[in-house]
Amino acid sequence: MGALGRLLITGAGGFIGRATVAAARARGIEVVAVARRSVAPGWAEDDGIEVLRADLSDPACVNALSGAMRGCGAVIHAAAHLGGDDAALRADTLLATSHLLDALPPEMRLVLVSSIAVYDTMALSPGDVLDEDAPLNTPAGAQDGYSRAKLAQEGLCAARGGPLWMMRPGAVYGPGRSWHALNGFWAGPLLVRIESDGALPLCHVDHLGRSLVSAAMTDPGGVRVVNVVDDDLPTRARFCADHRRLTGWPKAMLPVPYGAWLGVTRALRPISGKLPGLLREPVLRARMMPLSYPNHALREALGGRDDAPFSEMLARSVEGAA
């Protein structure tokens, strides 16, 4: 890893962006924090953080970005829409990325925050390994609008070429976000947990922030893809037990085997277009299928390790939110 005096981070006011700014400042790297609205408390007192207010979906941002990139050694692009609204995905993920690329000098290193949602789990079977060699979705086969947008975003960045890190994190958790959508669904106060012995592809936000900064400091040698998940990945049963111990929630759970729920979704396939996500097979497989998620490529490329085992990281997240 080389020295990096200054770094531009988009989406800096968001959950991942704030952790990435903190990781950069912990290494003494100055940051241009690009945010549309919110900024973190304390940034105003840090002379190493310059805030650039910009809406990346607006073409007028290109000149401001170009100026802000002067003196930067790399860009971490964390700005994106996290929901399923197609208009917001076009604006805040795809247009935002296009405008950033318009401003980006050809030689500047880019670190893209993508997602493991780009993989085609319809081509995998229970018990398979999902690593960087797993097949990617196609736009027509993607399980939802978010995964289609992330595929398209990767395509935009890949067309520009390197130096490029495509970082594909799993489900990111941390203070204020201790829960996630990979366990099942709620029926009132009851959690219907889709049970399997597979790992949850989790990544603590602090671990992710440090990995992104490490990538920004490292030459990828072209275009390089890395999945970002923690070393210690719990099963769904372990996650829910720890979460209930720490928060009292979920109070009641109904475990349903993955295979049984998959059978239900297949029986309902003729009307799947009218059903919630977990009753559609592509969504169910993407979120719930028992798989393993190694992070060998991450560690070989960028080093690092978890701060602590999962149970302690979850406890820190709950305490931090309180």
Side-chain angles (χ1 to χ4, degrees):
M1 295 182 189
L4 184 68
R6 190 171 173 86
L7 175 64
L8 185 140
I9 301 172
T10 72
F15 184 58
I16 293 172
R18 290 187 185 198
T20 307
V21 171
R25 294 300 297 131
R27 296 193 187 192
I29 301 169
E30 295 183 359
V31 172
V32 179
V34 182
R36 183 161 52 186
R37 286 185 292 270
S38 62
V39 297
W43 282 5
E45 286 74 45
D46 188 339
D47 292 338
I49 301 176
E50 174 189 339
V51 176
L52 173 62
R53 300 277 189 175
D55 179 353
L56 299 190
S57 67
D58 184 347
C61 75
V62 174
N63 287 337
L65 287 172
S66 295
M69 287 178 192
R70 296 191 188 105
C72 292
V75 170
I76 296 175
H77 184 33
H81 180 68
L82 298 179
D85 181 84
D86 286 339
L89 287 165
R90 282 193 299 273
D92 297 335
T93 299
L94 301 182
L95 271 178
T97 300
S98 293
H99 295 151
L100 177 74
L101 294 173
D102 287 342
L104 193 69
E107 72 283 357
M108 185 167 289
R109 191 174 301 156
L110 175 62
V111 181
L112 172 66
V113 183
S114 184
S115 170
I116 62 168
V118 299
Y119 290 109
D120 181 10
T121 51
M122 291 295 289
L124 301 178
S125 299
D128 281 352
V129 171
L130 193 155
D131 61 13
E132 292 79 4
D133 294 324
L136 293 181
N137 265 317
T138 63
Q143 64 266 22
D144 53 29
Y146 173 78
S147 61
R148 280 192 296 276
K150 281 305 200 181
L151 279 168
Q153 184 188 44
E154 286 196 0
L156 290 171
C157 294
R160 176 254 185 184
L164 169 65
W165 289 94
M166 285 192 189
M167 309 290 280
R168 295 171 176 163
V172 183
Y173 75 104
R177 293 192 187 183
S178 64
W179 192 256
H180 56 81
L182 301 183
N183 282 316
F185 63 93
W186 297 98
L190 175 71
L191 173 68
V192 180
R193 190 176 74 213
I194 311 300
E195 191 56 60
S196 76
D197 57 0
L200 283 169
L202 300 183
C203 181
H204 191 277
V205 70
D206 291 345
H207 299 161
L208 176 57
R210 288 204 300 270
S211 294
L212 295 173
V213 173
S214 293
M217 299 172 67
T218 305
D219 182 4
V223 177
R224 193 161 183 178
V225 174
V226 172
N227 295 344
V228 188
V229 294
D230 287 345
D231 302 326
D232 182 23
L233 300 180
T235 62
R236 288 169 176 80
R238 178 184 167 199
F239 179 96
C240 290
D242 281 349
H243 199 275
R244 181 161 58 182
R245 173 177 55 83
L246 292 165
T247 69
W249 198 262
K251 295 183 181 297
M253 290 179 280
L254 175 64
V256 178
Y258 169 80
W261 195 264
L262 178 61
V264 171
T265 65
R266 287 176 172 171
L268 295 172
R269 187 177 295 164
I271 59 169
S272 62
K274 302 176 181 178
L275 297 175
L278 288 181
L279 287 171
R280 301 198 303 268
E281 185 172 352
V283 176
L284 176 68
R285 291 168 73 99
R287 294 185 187 175
M288 304 294 172
M289 187 161 63
L291 299 168
S292 62
Y293 300 88
N295 65 359
H296 307 315
L298 170 69
R299 297 310 184 208
E300 289 171 3
L302 300 172
R305 61 181 180 181
D306 290 358
D307 287 345
F310 163 74
S311 296
E312 184 175 336
M313 295 308 299
L314 183 62
R316 293 182 192 182
S317 300
V318 171
E319 291 164 4

